[in-house]
Amino acid sequence: MNDRIGQLLAQMAALEAELVTAMHEQEKRVFFQIKGKKVEFETSVKAAHRKLKMNFFRWVVSFRPQNLITGPIIYGMIVPLMLVDACVTFYQWTCFPIYGITKVRRSDYLVYDRAQLQYLNFIEKFHCTYCEYGNGLMAYMREILARTEAYFCPIKHAKKVIGTHARYKQFLDYGDAADYEARLEAIRVSLGKLK
């Protein structure tokens, strides 16, 4: 990677850190604090949220029929999702120690906090929990696969790829064969030092 690309990547990382800080500042203005795994709202905000909650019967009346029709298809996906979850978790727990790769912490990706929102009724909370699981699982799996790719083949593609993972930026340039084995080994060693 040349110096200019390294500088741009460092600037991107600094901007991402600044964005996270700005988002946390905005969260403070929404009047909640995160204490462990629990989100705590100010009392006045909790009371306002409860007033905004749509009761179940009003919610059913305003519910879109197409959502009800497709519900079994959407929620039927829980079986393959759980199977993928079990397989990917088993893979990383058995293979990552052998490769010397730091394991991905599942709890960093599967976050369940929307059920604490007082303005959601129990059906909406159920929907949110399902989506938190599905999207969190995909992010968790993506990181496991990204670390696997970084270990075995950290080479960028010749063609532009849409939606690459965060590790892709540090991959070796396509066709850059100079010191390939040494750079591959350096990447492999770095995967064991991840936090």
Side-chain angles (χ1 to χ4, degrees):
M1 178 178 346
N2 69 36
D3 291 337
R4 177 69 179 137
I5 291 173
Q7 290 171 346
L8 289 172
L9 287 172
Q11 286 175 335
M12 286 173 59
L15 284 172
E16 285 176 3
E18 188 177 333
L19 176 62
V20 167
T21 302
M23 289 173 71
H24 284 298
E25 288 299 317
Q26 179 179 344
E27 289 169 356
K28 288 179 186 173
R29 290 192 297 270
V30 180
F31 311 108
F32 72 82
Q33 293 180 338
I34 300 172
K35 293 184 179 176
K37 291 186 176 185
K38 185 125 172 97
V39 179
E40 289 188 8
F41 286 93
E42 288 184 3
T43 308
S44 61
V45 173
K46 282 191 337 193
H49 282 180
R50 279 191 214 104
K51 288 179 183 176
L52 293 170
K53 183 193 280 188
M54 187 183 298
N55 73 41
F56 175 72
F57 296 107
R58 197 168 121 226
W59 182 82
V60 167
V61 170
S62 65
F63 196 67
R64 295 178 173 171
Q66 64 266 33
N67 295 1
L68 192 58
I69 293 167
T70 59
I73 298 168
I74 293 168
Y75 288 107
M77 293 302 297
I78 193 67
V79 173
L81 286 174
M82 290 174 75
L83 183 60
V84 165
D85 189 356
C87 290
V88 169
T89 300
F90 176 75
Y91 158 69
Q92 89 149 337
W93 278 92
T94 55
C95 295
F96 275 23
I98 295 168
Y99 303 145
I101 300 172
T102 303
K103 290 186 201 109
V104 178
R105 281 185 28 191
R106 195 170 186 277
S107 62
D108 289 343
Y109 296 89
L110 282 93
V111 177
Y112 302 99
D113 57 3
R114 294 178 186 152
Q116 298 174 47
L117 296 170
Q118 297 295 314
Y119 56 87
L120 298 176
N121 66 38
F122 71 95
I123 299 290
E124 291 169 318
K125 288 179 182 183
F126 179 77
H127 291 324
C128 285
T129 301
Y130 182 78
C131 291
E132 286 169 328
Y133 176 69
N135 284 293
L137 174 62
M138 291 301 110
Y140 167 69
M141 185 171 73
R142 182 179 185 115
E143 180 59 21
I144 290 170
L145 295 173
R147 291 181 189 190
T148 301
E149 184 179 23
Y151 182 86
F152 285 106
C153 192
I155 300 170
K156 293 177 185 168
H157 293 278
K159 296 169 93 176
K160 182 179 177 180
V161 178
I162 296 173
T164 58
H165 51 76
R167 302 198 174 287
Y168 189 79
K169 293 179 251 180
Q170 284 81 38
F171 281 14
L172 308 173
D173 290 328
Y174 186 85
D176 184 4
D179 301 321
Y180 170 73
E181 294 298 330
R183 292 187 295 159
L184 173 63
E185 188 57 30
I187 291 171
R188 287 178 173 172
V189 169
S190 73
L191 290 169
K193 297 176 183 176
L194 298 173
K195 296 191 183 210

